Amino acid sequence: MTRSYLMSPPEHFVVEYAINPWMDTTAPVDTELAVKQWEGLRETLARLGHEVHVLTPEIGLPDMVYAANGAFSVDGVVYGAKFKYPQRTAEAAAHRRFYDTLGWRYVAASETNEGEGDFAYLPAALGGLVLAGHGFRTEVSAHAEAQETLGRPVVSLRLVDPRFYHLDVALAPLDDANVAYYPEAFSESSRQVLAQLFPDAVLATEEDALAFGLNLVSDGRNVVLSSEATALAARLRTAGYVPVPVELTELKKGGGSVKCCVAELRA
């Protein structure tokens, strides 16, 4: 099925501050290589038949490349982001302007949340289920606000390992009803919930989770993921999916990979 995505090129990408454990302000960033790798991801999604919209990056907002964090949309309704850290606050307005051009209904958040960084949607699970992470960047109160905004049941999942500070580095939808995830990123009770909801989930190892293997984008068949996550790719192939590895080493320096760079637009 053709999907519609939003990406923002890393023309101004640098690591000038540290707001997650992956960011090292002393490690140089090769911006030219970051742009090249980003372009490779965009071309991969287009080659798979998907539509990719591009959000113009803004000077002074180096993390705009992580387009997944700017909002969360379901059926043409957009729940806007309200970033935890002031360095990223202005990104929300840039995303709002984009959704306004689509004519979608945009609802500004009162509660702190970071868009698809901490929200995932499975349209065929229980008639349309939202999985929502909290513990580091999104307040659990935002989960109730998202449920009211989107009219979909929201399941709260608590993240407990700071290396996996967003849901989208610990869990990913593989199709409309199933997921892949790293159990140890979640609290014990959240693991029980996930095991009950998704008995056929693909489980990732710590090594593949640390390689940002779960920060993936799947269209239900093709799974675009970090080329470093080789064991996860093998498990996905065994489960009937088609792994499509890409290299995003420069963008990993900011704490993100494939999914962080891609917001799904659900009309």
Side-chain angles (χ1 to χ4, degrees):
M1 184 180 96
T2 299
R3 310 249 174 160
S4 185
Y5 298 120
L6 178 66
M7 298 178 66
S8 184
E11 293 172 11
H12 310 301
F13 177 63
V14 288
V15 179
E16 295 178 329
Y17 49 79
I19 58 174
N20 68 58
W22 300 93
M23 301 177 88
D24 180 357
T25 57
T26 66
V29 170
D30 185 335
T31 304
E32 185 179 346
L33 179 57
V35 171
K36 182 179 179 181
Q37 292 179 342
W38 179 93
E39 190 62 41
L41 172 59
R42 187 192 66 79
E43 290 173 354
T44 297
L45 293 171
R47 177 172 51 81
L48 293 171
H50 304 303
E51 179 183 29
V52 180
H53 297 261
V54 176
L55 181 65
T56 303
E58 298 183 13
I59 294 172
L61 297 176
D63 284 347
M64 264 189 78
V65 64
Y66 303 122
N69 302 155
F72 176 56
S73 63
V74 177
D75 292 344
V77 178
V78 185
Y79 179 52
K82 183 180 179 183
F83 287 90
K84 177 174 181 177
Y85 291 103
Q87 293 94 331
R88 300 196 66 183
T89 301
E91 292 178 42
H95 282 264
R96 179 170 193 161
R97 288 191 293 271
F98 169 78
Y99 286 104
D100 284 346
T101 68
L102 298 182
W104 291 12
R105 185 166 76 87
Y106 183 98
V107 179
S110 299
E111 306 296 334
T112 301
N113 82 90
E114 299 199 341
E116 287 198 328
D118 275 319
F119 289 104
Y121 185 56
L122 292 113
L126 301 177
L129 181 68
V130 176
L131 300 179
H134 69 98
F136 297 103
R137 301 285 276 273
T138 291
E139 295 296 328
V140 70
S141 52
H143 298 179
E145 188 173 58
Q147 181 167 281
E148 288 301 308
T149 299
L150 302 169
R152 297 290 187 279
V154 174
V155 174
S156 295
L157 302 168
R158 186 160 71 90
L159 298 161
V160 295
D161 186 329
R163 297 174 301 177
F164 308 108
Y165 61 95
H166 270 158
L167 182 70
D168 72 359
V169 292
L171 177 149
L174 294 176
D175 53 39
D176 288 349
N178 200 19
V179 300
Y181 67 98
Y182 173 56
E184 284 71 24
F186 298 92
S187 68
E188 180 58 40
S189 59
S190 293
R191 284 184 230 174
Q192 292 173 9
V193 169
L194 286 167
Q196 183 175 337
L197 286 174
F198 306 105
D200 299 321
V202 175
L203 302 183
T205 63
E206 181 181 31
E207 183 180 11
D208 279 338
L210 292 174
F212 282 79
L214 289 165
N215 195 238
L216 60 83
V217 169
S218 176
D219 61 13
R221 182 174 186 271
N222 303 290
V223 181
V224 183
L225 77 167
S226 167
S227 57
E228 299 175 60
T230 52
L232 180 59
R235 289 187 183 195
L236 291 167
R237 192 175 292 109
T238 299
Y241 300 95
V242 179
V244 182
V246 295
E247 198 168 288
L248 285 179
T249 52
E250 287 308 295
L251 293 168
K252 187 178 177 182
K253 293 176 180 178
S257 187
V258 176
K259 175 57 192 172
C260 284
C261 294
V262 181
E264 185 164 353
L265 306 175
R266 303 177 189 87

